[in-house]
Every structure is written in C-alpha cells, then in structure tokens.
C-alpha cells in the first residue's frame, strides 16, 4: 500500500513568488494534516481536514497560506506571496477516523525562500 | 513554558547500553501521548503509543507519570539502528492535533 506522498520534495523560490505544495494521503484516510518544521524549532501543526472540510486551521500562520482538499482526496497548500520566514519543511500526514495520534507522515517538502 | 519539553541531547551511548529519555508536559488534562522516531532528513514515524500506565514493545518501554506530568522512553540493548531523533508528542485539539517536542537525539556507537 502506498504511503503519504508529497510533491515536490524540494522547492527553492524567491521572496514574493508563489509555491503550491501537494499531498496525497493514504487511500481511505479521511483525516489529512499539514505540519511545518522551521529550522531549529519543533514540528508545528498548521491545519486539519476531515474529508474535504477544514476541521481546524488554528495553526495557519497568516492569510498568505491557503489549503484546499478537493473532493476529500489530495490536498494542496499554497503560499502566496512567499516570505523568507516561510522556509522550512512542510509535512503532510493522514490518519484513519478515531486514530488521530497514529498519523502517517509524508517525507515532506523542503521549502527555501531566498 | 512549552507544551511539551524534551532534552535535545545528543545522548551518545555504546551499543548494548540502556538509555532513557524523559519528556514533560504542561497541560494536566492531556490524555494521550506518543513517541515518534525521526531519522535524519526523513519523516516522523510512530514508534509507540503511551496510554494510561504505559506500554512495552520489545526493547522499548514507555511510561506515563501523570502525577509528575512526564512520560519516558526506555530503550534496552541499544542497536546502531536506534540512532535517530525521538519525538515526544501529545494529542490535543479534541484528539486530532499533534503537539511535538523538539526531539531528543540518540547516537548509538560501536
């Protein structure tokens, strides 16, 4: 069975540009999460989808970040316009209903804003 | 104070040694905890769940001390392959949000 996949694995963009990250969760997992790790800091929650609905977006840093989950399948996280402090590793995770603590993570997208 | 605090290490131990990590948490109402393992430049992977009185899985034992608000991870007979960062994680947000510690780095040496 395929795990959580993320694309791209790396992205280097200039300040002010737009970047879109994609996540394909494990098939059948209704819960999809986005997390971010900024250098030297702990992994932090961004938001949580249940199917296509945003359940909790309390961790989104600001309105430059937009997440969508079309049809309750894959998800995208768009940063527009990107700022230097957005650099970090963006992880996507998915889990089955009722097993929020047992999340499966993708390998992450390493975003560098220069 | 951070919600979940860990000693970043690194803990350098010889192969075969027993090593223990602690993690403290600030919210006394917290119910569920986990240990995740993260290899260098890889994704976090669930190692163990820690519920109520803790649990054991092979060489790994996790304990929860609610009175002192800490959880621990004990690794017996350390292997070279155990070298990684161990993340203490609390389940929050109605059971759907993971709060991570900064991780404890373990290096097992010959």
């Amino acid at each position: 069975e395929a795990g959580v996949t993320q694309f791209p694995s790396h992205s280097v963009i200039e300040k002010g540009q737009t970047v879109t990250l994609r996540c394909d969760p494990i098939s059948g997992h209704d819960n999809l999460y986005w997390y971010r790790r900024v250098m030297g800091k702990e992994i932090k929650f961004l938001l949580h989808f249940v199917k296509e609905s945003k359940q909790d977006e309390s961790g989104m840093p600001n309105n430059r970040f937009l997440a969508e989950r079309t049809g309750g399948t894959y998800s995208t996280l768009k940063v527009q316009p990107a700022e230097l402090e957005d650099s970090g590793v963006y992880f996507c995770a998915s889990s089955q209903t009722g097993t929020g603590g047992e999340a499966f993570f993708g390998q992450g997208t390493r975003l560098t804003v220069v | 104070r951070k919600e979940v605090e860990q000693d970043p290490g690194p803990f350098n131990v010889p192969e075969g040694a027993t090593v223990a990590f602690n993690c403290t948490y600030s919210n006394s109402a917290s119910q569920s905890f986990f240990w995740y393992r993260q290899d260098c430049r890889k994704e976090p992977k669930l190692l163990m769940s820690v519920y109520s009185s803790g649990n054991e899985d092979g060489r790994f034992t996790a304990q929860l001390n609610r009175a002192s608000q800490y959880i621990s991870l004990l690794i017996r007979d350390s292997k070279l392959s155990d070298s990684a960062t161990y993340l203490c994680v609390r389940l929050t947000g109605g059971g759907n949000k993971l709060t991570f510690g900064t991780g404890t780095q373990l290096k097992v040496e010959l």
Side-chain angles (χ1 to χ4, degrees):
Chain A
E1 179 183 331
V4 177
T5 57
Q6 293 187 244
F7 182 83
S9 56
H10 293 80
S11 180
V12 181
I13 62 172
E14 293 184 350
K15 176 183 174 181
Q17 288 186 322
T18 298
V19 63
T20 301
L21 315 180
R22 173 170 171 142
C23 168
D24 286 80
I26 292 173
S27 177
H29 282 192
D30 288 340
N31 294 297
L32 186 149
Y33 313 83
W34 284 98
Y35 288 85
R36 177 174 75 171
R37 185 168 204 161
V38 172
M39 185 179 291
K41 302 284 188 179
E42 66 274 19
I43 297 171
K44 286 194 172 178
F45 170 85
L46 295 179
L47 88 159
H48 169 218
F49 285 98
V50 176
K51 297 184 180 179
E52 68 276 7
S53 300
K54 289 178 186 175
Q55 196 73 14
D56 181 351
E57 50 184 333
S58 61
M60 294 287 263
N62 51 59
N63 59 10
R64 295 186 293 104
F65 289 75
L66 175 64
E68 295 179 323
R69 189 180 183 192
T70 307
T73 55
Y74 70 91
S75 175
T76 58
L77 179 64
K78 182 164 71 173
V79 186
Q80 179 184 28
E83 298 290 344
L84 299 179
E85 63 265 25
D86 300 333
S87 296
V89 181
Y90 290 77
F91 289 106
C92 176
S94 70
S95 69
Q96 293 180 319
T97 302
T99 62
E102 299 173 8
F104 294 83
F105 282 76
Q107 288 203 315
T109 293
R110 186 171 297 275
L111 175 65
T112 303
V113 183
V114 297
Chain B
R1 183 182 176 185
K2 289 185 177 180
E3 292 185 60
V4 177
E5 295 208 59
Q6 296 182 252
D7 181 344
F11 284 61
N12 298 310
V13 302
E15 201 174 17
T18 295
V19 61
F21 312 131
N22 280 345
C23 161
T24 59
Y25 60 94
S26 59
N27 187 336
S28 61
S30 298
Q31 295 296 316
S32 301
F33 298 90
F34 305 85
W35 284 102
Y36 274 71
R37 169 193 168 131
Q38 186 173 26
D39 292 285
C40 187
R41 292 186 169 266
K42 297 288 188 180
E43 74 274 20
K45 291 184 179 179
L46 178 65
L47 177 65
M48 299 180 74
S49 303
V50 187
Y51 298 115
S52 60
S53 59
N55 61 342
E56 182 175 324
D57 183 4
R59 298 182 293 109
F60 298 82
T61 301
Q63 292 284 342
L64 169 62
N65 184 318
R66 291 195 183 278
S68 300
Q69 293 186 205
Y70 76 85
I71 68 170
S72 63
L73 178 66
L74 180 76
I75 305 175
R76 291 179 296 278
D77 188 24
S78 300
K79 310 292 184 189
L80 294 177
S81 57
D82 294 333
S83 298
T85 296
Y86 291 82
L87 302 166
C88 176
V89 183
R90 178 169 75 94
L91 186 64
T92 60
N96 288 296
K97 179 164 67 175
L98 299 178
T99 298
F100 287 82
T102 52
T104 297
Q105 187 179 11
L106 171 66
K107 295 181 180 179
V108 181
E109 304 164 331
L110 288 172

